[in-house]
Amino acid sequence: MVNKLSPISLIAFIFAILVYSKILPVKTYYIDNSIVPSTQINYIEGTIISNPKKISDKYYSCDINITHCMNKNFITSTCSGKIIGLIPTILVESLFPNKLFSKSKSNNILPIEQGAILKSSVKYIKNKKNNISFIFNNIEQIKYNNNFIGKIQKFRAYCRLNFRKIIYNWGKAGGLFLALLSGSTDNLEKDFINLFRNSGLSHILALSGMHLTLISSLGLIIKNNVQQKKTAILFQSILIFLFVWFAGLSPSLLRALIGFILTTLCFLFDIKIKNQINLLSSVFLIHSLISISDLFNIGFILSYGALLGILLFSPSINSYLIRFIPEKISSSLASSISAVIFTSPISLHVFGFISLSGIISTLFASALITLFLYLGIFLFVLCLFIPCFEFFSNFSMNLIYKLIFEIVKIFDFLPQIYI
């Protein structure tokens, strides 16, 4: 049963109603303080603020904070705002392993990652959602700030690039490992992505609380060897913040990080969390203050919707299932069913279908993904120090990858519901 909601939950509920009914307007992509109209801009200077994501063979998409713009008559203006930038694939992948065009590039080319400052001629386009978007068709300069933050961002960019290079020899398994640790699905097979989507397992590939839990669980290694719980929490916090720094803050991962911080603070100050819905409401409001544009991201909506569904329905469903199956299985199954119940209307509206097989396949896929991730981290570190283990790691990771693929395929038998 759900306890009485606190004022914080009521505020979150009212705020959500106002935002999603569009009574309270929220700007997602916009350009402010510019004397040049958006449709006339043909030159932009701005900073990438999200991980570039491959959307086609031609382009990567990323969010960009702009600072300067110009039109074809050379009228220049300072400005502010956030736009969608479409950057040519050949440029983003110029330093990636096994790219023929990367060999002909100058050593001065920098990785195009979060924090990179771009100066480029652009072309204004309209997308289906009428977001402000530009094609960066002739990038003149890529640089990172020379201050402390800029150097950290540049270091992160090279860490992500070198990570790609190291796991490249893992082939298909390397693509999945890259997705689980960096949020990039660029190297995943289309068949694999389609199977997970059709099986209702896309949430496993999207960085979220599950991945944060898996990473933080590594802190249990130290928990068993120290008496002070605060030391263990510190170790877990370091692991989590390093992971988030490396992977980048997707909406679902930011939600999980805020939840972890609030839960940790409550533990340190001996504050008991009596109502999980109130905690989720607090996370929702803080998240909205940090990045209000996330509110219309489908990952954000499904992430909060799934958690709310679990908190509302899981206890009742579990109390029924536990009569027939063991508690560990019943609780996981109840969570899957609850999440599907609450997010199905959203999935039907956005994607046009829902997949019931995800309720069952999540139980098996999550266990195998956990094994895959932990083994991958171990073998990755091992190969750094003992390169001769590369063949063994390649064989082991691809074996589990094939096992994940085949088991998910087995459970892809339940019908999809379309509208």
Side-chain angles (χ1 to χ4, degrees):
M1 295 296 293
V2 178
N3 295 329
K4 185 178 179 180
L5 299 183
S6 69
I8 198 75
S9 296
L10 293 175
I11 293 172
F13 177 75
I14 294 171
F15 176 69
I17 292 295
L18 292 175
V19 168
Y20 291 115
S21 64
K22 298 185 179 180
I23 296 174
L24 181 66
V26 173
K27 290 197 288 187
T28 51
Y29 296 97
Y30 59 95
I31 298 177
D32 286 338
N33 307 317
S34 172
I35 61 175
V36 181
S38 301
T39 54
Q40 296 180 18
I41 293 174
N42 73 343
Y43 187 89
I44 277 177
E45 179 179 345
T47 303
I48 298 176
I49 58 172
S50 68
N51 293 334
K53 181 179 179 181
K54 194 170 188 177
I55 58 172
S56 70
D57 291 336
K58 290 186 177 181
Y59 296 109
Y60 275 73
S61 174
C62 58
D63 293 344
I64 296 177
N65 273 346
I66 63 170
T67 55
H68 296 83
C69 63
M70 183 174 67
N71 66 7
K72 64 180 180 180
N73 296 320
F74 302 102
I75 297 176
T76 304
S77 173
T78 57
C79 55
S80 61
K82 185 170 77 169
I83 63 168
I84 297 175
L86 302 181
I87 304 175
T89 296
I90 194 170
L91 187 57
V92 176
E93 296 184 352
S94 62
L95 297 175
F96 286 10
N98 200 38
K99 297 294 180 181
L100 294 177
F101 44 81
S102 68
K103 300 177 182 178
S104 64
K105 294 291 181 180
S106 166
N107 291 331
N108 293 325
I109 292 292
L110 296 173
I112 297 180
E113 282 281 1
Q114 186 176 335
I117 301 171
L118 306 180
K119 294 182 179 180
S120 175
S121 57
V122 297
K123 178 183 178 182
Y124 176 84
I125 61 170
K126 279 188 176 181
N127 62 14
K128 295 179 181 178
K129 297 181 179 179
N130 292 320
N131 291 325
I132 299 177
S133 307
F134 291 88
I135 296 177
F136 282 59
N137 48 31
N138 186 20
I139 297 179
E140 297 178 1
Q141 186 181 57
I142 306 169
K143 68 176 183 177
Y144 289 82
N145 279 323
N146 201 34
N147 55 23
F148 177 76
I149 294 177
K151 290 178 180 178
I152 291 295
Q153 290 173 326
K154 185 177 179 180
F155 175 69
R156 173 186 180 270
Y158 275 107
C159 284
R160 286 170 61 90
L161 176 63
N162 288 325
F163 179 72
R164 283 180 180 271
K165 292 179 177 179
I166 291 172
I167 66 170
Y168 171 75
N169 290 331
W170 286 5
K172 297 176 182 178
L176 177 57
F177 192 59
L178 178 69
L180 294 175
L181 283 186
S182 74
S184 172
T185 58
D186 305 339
N187 291 359
L188 274 179
E189 286 184 303
K190 289 184 179 179
D191 288 345
F192 189 91
I193 295 175
N194 290 337
L195 177 64
F196 265 56
R197 184 184 65 240
N198 296 336
S199 300
L201 295 171
S202 295
H203 61 281
I204 289 181
L205 299 179
L207 296 180
S208 62
M210 184 191 83
H211 301 80
L212 219 60
T213 301
L214 293 178
I215 296 298
S216 67
S217 295
L218 294 173
L220 295 175
I221 297 173
I222 193 172
K223 233 180 211 184
N224 295 328
N225 296 294
V226 297
Q227 294 180 347
Q228 296 294 329
K229 289 184 178 180
K230 291 184 179 180
T231 305
I233 290 174
L234 176 62
F235 183 66
Q236 284 183 312
S237 300
I238 291 172
L239 288 176
I240 285 174
F241 279 103
L242 282 175
F243 171 67
V244 170
W245 169 79
F246 179 79
L249 279 175
S250 65
S252 54
L253 196 56
L254 178 56
R255 185 268 306 161
L257 178 63
I258 297 171
F260 169 79
I261 293 173
L262 290 182
T263 303
T264 301
L265 289 175
C266 287
F267 173 81
L268 292 176
F269 291 99
D270 199 26
I271 301 172
K272 292 184 179 180
I273 301 174
K274 297 181 180 180
N275 192 310
Q276 292 292 329
I277 291 182
N278 293 336
L279 174 63
L280 183 62
S281 300
S282 301
V283 173
F284 174 77
L285 292 174
I286 294 172
H287 192 158
S288 300
L289 287 173
I290 295 174
S291 182
I292 195 167
S293 61
D294 283 352
L295 266 69
F296 292 97
N297 180 282
I298 186 59
F300 175 98
I301 296 171
L302 290 175
S303 177
Y304 279 92
L307 268 182
L308 185 56
I310 291 170
L311 294 176
L312 289 174
F313 304 126
S314 185
S316 299
I317 296 175
N318 186 46
S319 64
Y320 175 78
L321 293 177
I322 202 172
R323 304 173 191 173
F324 310 102
I325 52 180
E327 183 178 358
K328 288 185 178 180
I329 299 177
S330 69
S331 60
S332 297
L333 190 58
S335 296
S336 295
I337 295 172
S338 302
V340 168
I341 289 173
F342 207 84
T343 58
S344 289
I346 303 168
S347 298
L348 283 171
H349 175 71
V350 176
F351 305 114
F353 74 94
I354 57 172
S355 178
L356 298 178
S357 61
I359 295 174
I360 301 175
S361 56
T362 295
L363 301 177
F364 296 87
S366 297
L368 286 171
I369 288 292
T370 301
L371 173 63
F372 181 88
L373 183 60
Y374 284 159
L375 181 62
I377 293 173
F378 171 75
L379 293 175
F380 177 80
V381 174
L382 188 65
C383 289
L384 284 177
F385 296 98
I386 312 175
C388 63
F389 274 92
E390 185 177 319
F391 175 80
F392 172 75
S393 63
N394 185 358
F395 174 80
S396 302
M397 294 299 286
N398 277 282
L399 181 63
I400 301 177
Y401 174 88
K402 291 177 182 177
L403 185 61
I404 293 171
F405 188 89
E406 294 302 324
I407 285 183
V408 174
K409 190 187 292 185
I410 290 173
F411 287 97
D412 188 26
F413 64 90
L414 291 176
Q416 295 171 350
I417 301 175
Y418 290 86
I419 60 171

